[in-house]
Amino acid sequence: GDSVTQMEGPVTLSEEAFLTINCTYTATGYPSLFWYVQYPGEGLQLLLKATKADDKGSNKGFEATYRKETTSFHLEKGSVQVSDSAVYFCALNTGNQFYFGTGTSLTVIP
Amino acid sequence: DTAVSQTPKYLVTQMGNDKSIKCEQNLGHDTMYWYKQDSKKFLKIMFSYNNKELIINETVPNRFSPKSPDKAHLNLHINSLELGDSAVYFCASSRGDSDYGYTFGSGTRLTVV
């Protein structure tokens, strides 16, 4: 069945370090892919999305490219800040159903 | 502001009580959802609902029931609360097509004591 797998956390980085959070998916058809961010005590917010192969979503310095050949949508940021500390969720929308990954907790230390 | 709003933000109650969480969206979305997030941040879909169809996750106990007075509201009623119901509950809405993500409320932290 359709699913999303993302790397387990927690991830701890120093400020200005490079971030990669891996996400792979299994789906029939042509799903849309998303990254959501949940800051402490808040709901999930859409961070970025890509709706077709080779699309790159970007927002707030974060990027992810929809790779159909590797069924991946890895989240990257070149230089993280303390304010990026949050839980990040990869997600997949087939049009019939939405699938979330298990979330990856990121802590950025000064 | 256009948003998904849910109330209350915090709810502390005793075992055995019945409680409700309200959700409203003014985005004009067709479909609304309830999710449960456990202490490990895992998100579990509980219900999805549009004007035509209620889809219930079969693992959700029947003590939980959604009530939708209209397209913009989807409330969650919980009967006979148990300790294991303690979690954060999120309401969300969507347009229903695959290109569009979900918009989430800010969550209700339910604590059963």
Side-chain angles (χ1 to χ4, degrees):
Chain A
D2 300 333
S3 66
V4 174
T5 303
Q6 63 181 102
M7 64 184 279
E8 292 189 17
V11 174
T12 302
L13 294 173
S14 297
E15 207 165 21
E16 298 183 4
F18 184 85
L19 168 71
T20 300
I21 301 178
N22 289 338
C23 172
T24 57
Y25 68 90
T26 302
T28 54
Y30 303 95
S32 295
L33 301 173
F34 304 81
W35 276 100
Y36 279 81
V37 58
Q38 184 179 24
Y39 298 105
E42 299 183 14
L44 279 74
Q45 302 173 25
L46 179 63
L47 180 60
L48 54 84
K49 70 175 184 179
T51 59
K52 60 183 187 296
D54 300 325
D55 268 3
K56 177 186 283 188
S58 61
N59 186 23
K60 299 182 180 180
F62 291 89
E63 293 183 341
T65 301
Y66 188 163
R67 302 282 188 203
K68 193 165 177 62
E69 64 277 11
T70 54
T71 62
S72 64
F73 193 55
H74 304 321
L75 182 68
E76 296 182 335
K77 186 174 185 182
S79 175
V80 293
Q81 305 301 312
V82 172
S83 57
D84 294 327
S85 297
V87 180
Y88 293 82
F89 293 89
C90 186
L92 153 66
N93 190 351
T94 64
N96 293 321
Q97 197 157 347
F98 216 89
Y99 298 88
F100 282 96
T102 52
T104 301
S105 175
L106 169 67
T107 301
V108 180
I109 54 177
Chain B
D1 288 346
T2 56
V4 177
S5 57
Q6 54 183 111
T7 56
K9 189 170 177 63
Y10 300 97
L11 181 56
V12 181
T13 188
Q14 290 186 326
M15 284 175 57
N17 283 352
D18 302 338
K19 290 293 179 184
S20 295
I21 305 172
K22 295 184 177 181
C23 180
E24 175 183 3
Q25 57 95 4
N26 60 3
L27 298 163
H29 289 168
D30 294 322
T31 308
M32 297 183 71
Y33 311 84
W34 278 105
Y35 278 83
K36 179 180 180 180
Q37 186 177 47
D38 64 21
S39 59
K40 295 184 179 180
K41 303 298 185 182
F42 181 70
L43 285 162
K44 174 184 172 181
I45 180 74
M46 301 178 72
F47 306 101
S48 66
Y49 185 81
N50 62 24
N51 284 337
K52 303 172 186 174
E53 190 177 14
L54 170 66
I55 300 174
I56 302 172
N57 184 326
E58 60 186 18
T59 67
V60 174
N62 58 14
R63 298 181 294 103
F64 291 79
S65 58
K67 298 282 194 316
S68 181
D70 56 58
K71 182 179 167 182
H73 296 83
L74 184 65
N75 303 325
L76 181 65
H77 296 267
I78 316 170
N79 295 325
S80 303
L81 277 155
E82 300 178 357
L83 292 177
D85 298 332
S86 296
V88 180
Y89 292 84
F90 287 101
C91 179
S93 69
S94 77
R95 280 185 344 200
D97 57 274
S98 64
D99 288 358
Y100 199 77
Y102 287 9
T103 302
F104 282 82
S106 56
T108 296
R109 180 173 293 278
L110 172 65
T111 303
V112 183
V113 297

